[in-house]
């Protein structure tokens, strides 16, 4: 059963294509070239048909004009068949001298009659000789022409020209009835017209073939130049598929604006893909390192706890050693608890949960943390630089964020100072307003960090001094938490350090938007609308 809308032509073409009758090019430039050549061939064919038809009509029109001119000349002259015979005899008498001796006795009238095909039909419609002396007898061609005219009398009455065919010859004929009823038929062979049309067809065929060849060559060359950017795109895609993510599509010298736009869009997309893949690989690497470090950090205290518990269960410790073992178990348990808490805090920050947007008095947090540091290390010189008012004379603005998270940031930064610098090394803490944001700067006078360590200071489980950090219970997550919290507040954190000149940490945080003076003041911790 045939499906509606289907015809047999596409199936036939498909079968013919499979069999090789219509080879279909696979390349785009080949298809463009075939299309251009096909369109030009159709145009040339139509133009050739039009020119041949016009040429044929012009030539036949000239023949018709010549025939009608002769017809009108005979019509204006009152003449009969006998008059024509007398003229033929008179022409023989005038040329009887020298022509008779040479055997060339044809009269001028006979010569004139032989230039075109001239047939004289009697009253019965039979061909008759013009000259009675036999110098101009009725030829076989004249008889065939007379037989080919079905109605000579009707042709004479109509007065128009007509095309008749005898065998392989064609004639253009007119007819005229003389005064005695005799019909004169004059015809002109169309072989010259056909010859001219044949020559014209040959010329147009040669010119058409040359034009098609030139068009095919030009189309292939132009298509190769215009489509070269597509080949570059294919090469780029293949290189990227093989792993060269940095490969990009070059600028096309001969491309169109559409190709340039496509190249720019693809390059932008490839850049995003490369960035995404790089970030994914970096995240995967960090995750593997994070899991390995977390496993290592947890395995060490767990091994200690398990060892002490095994010794305690087997009663292999004396009373003094039992107290020391229980103390070590408690210490390692607290260390694991802090590590788990820090990992959970980082996991929550990685999920980027919405933090409460409240007005936080950053100076109060800094003073509290400085007091804690002074209590732990009273011998450390500590300098607080907290202005009473902002640069514009107004009160120092409050930070916008979560108080607990910001307190953790300040605490972690001062904890690094306490752990990684000598107890008598000076430290300064500054709070200021810069460009509509709050600046927290903590500067110590410790040993500082090298370039490689400074680049990794925010990596999780990174320790510039692993042995000392482990003794003091650090796991290398403090600066990672600082960076995650500051980013969650849409702030920035930066380092300025070098070996031998200490470490400076600069944190910038957004401030609470200004409110009109007639609005009641907000106290620290009051909820504010979220900002974008």
């Amino acid at each position: 059963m045939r499906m509606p809308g289907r015809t047999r032509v596409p199936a036939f073409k498909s079968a013919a294509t499979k069999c090789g009758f219509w080879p279909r090019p696979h390349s785009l430039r080949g298809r463009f070239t075939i299309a251009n050549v096909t369109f030009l061939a159709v145009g040339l064919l139509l133009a050739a048909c039009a020119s041949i038809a016009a040429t044929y009509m012009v030539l036949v029109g000239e023949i018709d004009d010549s025939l009608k001119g002769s017809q009108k000349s005979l019509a204006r002259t009152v003449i009969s068949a006998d008059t024509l015979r007398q003229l033929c005899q008179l022409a023989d008498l005038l040329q009887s001298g020298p022509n008779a001796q040479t055997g060339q006795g044809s009269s001028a009238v006979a010569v004139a009659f032989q230039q075109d095909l001239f047939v004289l039909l009697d009253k019965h419609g039979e061909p008759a000789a013009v000259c009675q002396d036999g110098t101009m007898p009725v030829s076989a061609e004249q008889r065939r022409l007379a037989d080919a005219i079905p109605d000579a009398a009707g042709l004479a009455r109509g007065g128009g020209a007509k095309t008749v065919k005898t065998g392989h010859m064609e004639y253009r004929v007119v007819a005229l009835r003389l005064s005695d009823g005799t019909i004169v038929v004059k015809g002109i062979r169309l072989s010259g017209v056909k010859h001219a049309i044949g020559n014209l067809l040959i010329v147009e065929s040669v010119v058409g073939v040359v034009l098609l060849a030139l068009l095919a060559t030009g189309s292939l060359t132009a298509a190769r130049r215009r489509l070269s950017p597509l080949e570059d795109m294919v090469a780029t895609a293949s290189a990227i598929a093989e792993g060269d993510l940095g490969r990009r599509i070059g600028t096309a010298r001969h491309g169109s604006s559409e190709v340039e736009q496509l190249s720019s869009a693809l390059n932008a997309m490839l850049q995003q893909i490369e960035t995404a893949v790089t970030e994914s690989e970096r995240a995967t690497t960090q995750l593997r390192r994070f899991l390995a470090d977390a496993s290592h950090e947890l395995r060490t205290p767990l091994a200690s706890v398990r060892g002490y518990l095994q010794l305690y269960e087997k009663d292999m410790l004396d009373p003094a050693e039992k107290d020391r073992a229980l103390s070590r178990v408690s210490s390692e348990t607290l260390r694991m608890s802090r590590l788990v808490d820090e990992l959970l805090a980082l996991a929550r920050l990685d999920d980027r949960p919405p933090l409460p947007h409240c007005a936080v008095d950053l100076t109060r947090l800094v003073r509290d943390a400085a007091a804690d540091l002074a209590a732990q290390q009273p011998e450390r010189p500590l300098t607080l630089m907290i202005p009473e008012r902002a640069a514009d004379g107004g009160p120092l603005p409050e930070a916008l964020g979560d108080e607990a998270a910001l307190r953790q940031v300040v605490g972690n930064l001062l904890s690094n100072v306490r752990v990684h610098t000598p107890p008598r090394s000076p430290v300064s803490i500054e709070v200021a307003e810069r460009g509509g944001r709050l600046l927290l700067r903590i500067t110590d006078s410790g040993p500082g960090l090298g370039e490689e360590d400074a680049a990794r200071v925010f990596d999780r489980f990174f320790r510039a001094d692993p042995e000392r950090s482990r003794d003091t219970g650090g796991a290398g997550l403090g600066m990672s938490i600082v960076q995650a919290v500051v980013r969650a507040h849409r702030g920035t954190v930066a380092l300025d350090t070098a070996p031998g000149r200490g470490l400076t940490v600069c944190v910038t945080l957004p401030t609470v938007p200004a409110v009109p003076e007639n609005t009641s003041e907000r106290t620290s911790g009051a909820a504010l609308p979220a900002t974008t």
Side-chain angles (χ1 to χ4, degrees), residues 56-248:
Y56 180 82
M57 292 174 64
V58 169
L59 294 178
V60 172
E62 291 180 355
I63 292 175
D64 291 347
D65 292 340
S66 176
L67 291 174
K68 290 180 179 179
S70 301
Q71 184 184 32
K72 291 179 180 179
S73 298
L74 289 174
R76 287 195 300 266
T77 304
V78 181
I79 191 173
S80 61
D82 294 337
T83 305
L84 288 176
R85 293 187 181 96
Q86 291 175 2
L87 289 175
C88 182
Q89 293 174 0
L90 178 61
D92 287 338
L93 292 175
L94 293 176
Q95 296 181 0
S96 60
N99 291 335
Q101 297 177 359
T102 58
Q104 298 177 356
S106 60
S107 63
V109 176
V111 173
F113 287 160
Q114 289 176 353
Q115 291 178 355
D116 294 330
L117 198 61
F118 189 88
V119 181
L120 185 64
L121 300 178
D122 58 15
K123 297 179 180 180
H124 302 288
E126 296 295 331
V130 177
C131 299
Q132 293 182 349
D133 57 359
T135 57
M136 193 175 179
V138 179
S139 64
E141 186 179 7
Q142 289 176 324
R143 293 186 181 278
R144 288 195 299 271
L145 179 59
D147 295 336
I149 301 175
D151 187 8
L155 181 62
R157 286 194 303 270
K162 184 178 181 181
T163 300
V164 296
K165 184 175 182 181
T166 61
H168 62 280
M169 291 292 295
E170 289 187 2
Y171 303 88
R172 193 70 176 174
V173 297
V174 294
L176 176 66
R177 185 181 294 275
L178 300 181
S179 58
D180 59 352
T182 304
I183 297 176
V184 176
V185 177
K186 185 177 182 182
I188 296 179
R189 300 179 183 87
L190 296 180
S191 57
V193 175
K194 291 184 176 181
H195 182 69
I197 294 299
N199 291 336
L200 178 61
L201 182 60
I202 293 174
V203 171
E204 289 186 348
S205 299
V206 173
V207 172
V209 171
V210 172
L211 289 178
L212 290 176
L214 292 176
L215 178 63
T217 304
S219 296
L220 282 175
T221 304
R224 183 178 294 108
R225 295 178 61 185
R226 297 298 180 185
L227 298 178
S228 58
L230 298 181
E231 298 177 354
D232 295 339
M233 295 178 189
V234 173
T236 302
S238 301
I240 291 176
E242 294 175 358
D244 186 7
L245 297 179
R247 183 75 172 270
R248 294 295 181 268

Side-chain angles (χ1 to χ4, degrees), residues 187-388:
I188 296 179
R189 300 179 183 87
L190 296 180
S191 57
V193 175
K194 291 184 176 181
H195 182 69
I197 294 299
N199 291 336
L200 178 61
L201 182 60
I202 293 174
V203 171
E204 289 186 348
S205 299
V206 173
V207 172
V209 171
V210 172
L211 289 178
L212 290 176
L214 292 176
L215 178 63
T217 304
S219 296
L220 282 175
T221 304
R224 183 178 294 108
R225 295 178 61 185
R226 297 298 180 185
L227 298 178
S228 58
L230 298 181
E231 298 177 354
D232 295 339
M233 295 178 189
V234 173
T236 302
S238 301
I240 291 176
E242 294 175 358
D244 186 7
L245 297 179
R247 183 75 172 270
R248 294 295 181 268
I249 301 172
T251 302
R253 294 181 298 172
H254 307 292
S256 60
S257 59
E258 292 81 0
V259 175
E260 293 178 358
Q261 293 175 1
L262 179 59
S263 300
S264 301
L266 288 178
N267 284 333
M269 181 187 69
L270 293 176
Q271 181 63 39
Q272 294 179 358
I273 292 176
E274 181 184 8
T275 303
V277 171
T278 304
E279 289 294 329
S280 177
E281 292 177 351
R282 186 179 65 85
T284 303
T285 302
Q286 288 183 348
L287 179 61
R288 292 195 187 101
R289 186 168 62 246
F290 174 79
L291 293 176
D293 293 339
S295 301
H296 175 74
E297 292 294 333
L298 291 174
R299 183 167 55 247
T300 301
L302 283 175
S304 300
V305 170
R306 182 176 58 185
Y308 283 119
L309 290 178
Q310 287 177 352
L311 292 175
Y312 186 86
E313 290 175 354
K314 293 179 180 179
D315 199 16
M316 299 176 64
L317 300 174
D318 55 27
E321 290 178 345
K322 288 182 179 180
D323 293 339
R324 181 177 176 276
L326 292 177
S327 176
R328 290 296 301 162
V329 169
S330 177
S331 175
E332 294 296 331
T333 303
L334 291 176
R335 180 182 173 187
M336 285 190 296
S337 178
R338 287 195 301 268
L339 178 60
V340 171
D341 291 340
E342 291 177 347
L343 290 176
L344 291 176
L346 284 174
R348 286 194 298 266
L349 291 173
D350 287 340
D351 292 337
R352 296 184 179 182
L355 295 176
H357 297 281
C358 302
V360 180
D361 187 358
L362 185 62
T363 60
R364 181 171 58 85
L365 301 184
V366 170
R367 287 191 177 95
D368 292 344
D372 294 340
L373 179 62
Q376 295 173 359
Q377 294 179 338
E379 69 277 11
R380 181 184 295 275
L382 180 60
T383 303
L384 282 179
M385 294 180 290
I386 302 177
E388 294 296 333

